Amino acid sequence: MIRQLGPVDRIAQYVMLPRIAAAGLTFSAVGHMSRGWLVLSIATPLLVAVNYLALRHWVYVVDVVEVGRKPLYLVLDIALALSLIALVGIGTPLVLYLVGCGALGGLLYRARLALVASLAMVAGYAVLVVTGTGSAPASPDIHTLITLPAMVLASGPAAAGVRRLLRRHERLASEVAVLRAGSAVHEERLRVARDLHDNVTKSLHGLWLVCSSLTSALDRGDVAAARSASDLVGSTARNLAEQTRVVIYDLRHDEADQPFRRELERAAQAAAADQGLVIDVDVPAAAEVAGRALPAEARRQVVAIVGEAVHNTVKHAQARRLQVSAIAHPDALEVCIRDDGVGYSPERAALRVARGHIGVVGMTERAHSIGATFGIAGEAGRGTEVALRVPVAQSVPAAANGRSGRG
């Protein structure tokens, strides 16, 4: 199996391009005028061909030939480049080939070896400048004496630094991927815990209460009450099976094609569990559009929060009426659950959390998981309002809501 090229491999391939260009341009410009034109006519095309093949088959060069484990290849590459420069002169594009040699040395070998190679190339270049070998300029300028040697000297360490940064980036990316995987597992555990709390745990608690009533009726010898409790056990078990089926279906299917109002109504009615609570669901047209435009996960969490809020109302609020309303704003969808019960007390809520009841905690976590804001407000004897505000990706005209549904 052929491995994928990494960032270092890609940069090394890019280095091959100016090397090929430098050799080709030098031969085209001065090869026929050089005293070693016969050698150049053989060596330069060969040099271009070798670099081109390395560019096209870099994985083979690195993994099979293992050029990165054999510094001799770098030594031969530098020696050949200096020999050709001795023939054509330091005032030719072939000097840039040396810069490519240094860059490859930094990318393939250890930083210390790359620095030694760069120093060796600068020393060789200096010898050529002093001896005036080849077609050297009669009076070398500042670029010939300083700029080009500085580029050759810096190419190796600079490429080695780039390689270290890329390797570090790859390690950090790998660590981030591991952390994200762990976070995903943690989020999945929290989601499963919320789903169990919102569905199975509540139904099992109700089943336990009904069984206690059945036991009491049997102890009293009240056959009619026992039969009624037995029927309720059966219906509760059927409801539990239905809720479990719905949870499984929700995990396996996308219900974005279902009306948003119907999902809210179903969640509210299921949570009310036929306890005599009058429920009104108000979803104007614009809110319906905004609800259906929510991502599948955000929509699922909104529906789950509504179900949990209604369940808390049934369990704690002693309410007779409850209203679920959705209002579309230009940048968000707001969902409110308001009841006429005994009101909300933060102290009592904190006490319930301390006793292991995580309804409000679960709703808060669900809201935060989709970037929504969540709040509960209420006064003693004046009911409770649960408000959820979910950001939407597209604007929805607020005027299209019709009535607000706040009463």
Side-chain angles (χ1 to χ4, degrees), residues 188-208:
E188 184 67 10
R189 292 176 62 184
L190 290 178
R191 186 186 64 79
V192 171
R194 289 192 294 264
D195 287 342
L196 289 175
H197 174 268
D198 293 347
N199 295 280
V200 179
T201 302
K202 291 182 292 190
S203 297
L204 289 175
H205 179 73
L207 190 61
W208 173 73

Side-chain angles (χ1 to χ4, degrees), residues 15-357:
V15 171
M16 291 295 179
L17 295 175
R19 282 161 55 98
I20 294 173
L25 288 173
T26 300
F27 181 73
S28 300
V30 299
H32 62 285
M33 297 185 298
S34 174
R35 66 185 181 207
W37 67 269
L38 181 60
V39 175
L40 286 175
S41 63
I42 297 174
T44 307
L46 182 61
L47 195 64
V48 171
V50 169
N51 280 270
Y52 177 76
L53 290 175
L55 170 65
R56 293 297 304 271
H57 305 284
W58 184 253
V59 173
Y60 179 84
V61 170
V62 174
D63 294 348
V64 179
V65 180
E66 295 184 332
V67 65
R69 296 172 179 260
K70 301 170 182 176
L72 179 61
Y73 286 110
L74 179 62
V75 174
L76 293 176
D77 194 30
I78 294 173
L80 179 58
L82 289 173
S83 299
L84 292 178
I85 293 175
L87 291 176
V88 299
I90 59 174
T92 61
L94 197 59
V95 176
L96 297 177
Y97 191 93
L98 287 178
V99 178
C101 292
L104 281 179
L107 292 172
L108 293 175
Y109 304 99
R110 294 190 300 272
R112 184 176 300 176
L113 179 59
L115 178 59
V116 171
S118 295
L119 290 172
M121 286 188 291
V122 171
Y125 181 87
V127 170
L128 296 178
V129 172
V130 172
T131 59
T133 305
S135 57
S139 57
D141 57 12
I142 187 172
H143 298 296
T144 303
L145 296 177
I146 297 179
T147 305
L148 289 177
M151 291 174 60
V152 172
L153 181 62
S155 60
V162 170
R163 184 186 64 177
R164 284 197 299 269
L165 289 176
L166 291 174
R167 297 301 188 200
R168 184 185 180 194
H169 174 75
E170 290 177 349
R171 289 194 299 271
L172 292 177
S174 177
E175 293 174 2
V176 169
V178 172
L179 291 175
R180 285 179 175 174
S183 176
V185 171
H186 179 67
E187 289 295 329
E188 184 67 10
R189 292 176 62 184
L190 290 178
R191 186 186 64 79
V192 171
R194 289 192 294 264
D195 287 342
L196 289 175
H197 174 268
D198 293 347
N199 295 280
V200 179
T201 302
K202 291 182 292 190
S203 297
L204 289 175
H205 179 73
L207 190 61
W208 173 73
L209 293 176
V210 175
C211 288
S212 299
S213 299
L214 176 60
T215 302
S216 299
L218 291 175
D219 291 341
R220 297 193 308 270
D222 191 341
V223 178
R227 183 176 292 110
S228 176
S230 178
D231 293 339
L232 189 54
V233 168
S235 63
T236 303
R238 283 194 302 271
N239 289 336
L240 178 59
E242 176 63 20
Q243 291 174 7
T244 304
R245 185 193 67 80
V246 170
V247 170
I248 295 174
Y249 183 85
D250 289 344
L251 292 175
R252 295 176 60 90
H253 297 81
D254 183 7
E255 294 192 352
D257 57 339
Q258 296 295 322
F260 185 56
R261 173 192 171 90
R262 183 178 301 174
E263 289 193 69
L264 296 181
E265 192 170 35
R266 187 183 68 177
Q269 294 293 348
D274 299 326
Q275 296 297 313
L277 182 66
V278 178
I279 297 177
D280 174 34
V281 179
D282 179 22
V283 181
E288 177 69 32
V289 172
R292 297 188 64 157
L294 290 175
E297 177 63 15
R299 185 169 170 174
R300 192 178 75 86
Q301 298 295 358
V302 170
V303 172
I305 290 172
V306 169
E308 177 63 22
V310 174
H311 173 76
N312 286 346
T313 297
V314 172
K315 192 172 182 180
H316 306 296
Q318 303 174 23
R320 296 185 301 274
R321 301 186 64 88
L322 180 142
Q323 182 184 54
V324 179
S325 60
I327 305 100
H329 298 282
D331 60 345
L333 174 67
E334 184 179 4
V335 178
C336 297
I337 304 95
R338 176 181 292 176
D339 65 58
D340 62 353
V342 298
Y344 175 74
S345 170
E347 292 77 13
R348 290 200 301 269
L351 182 60
R352 287 195 293 268
V353 171
R355 292 176 178 174
H357 299 279

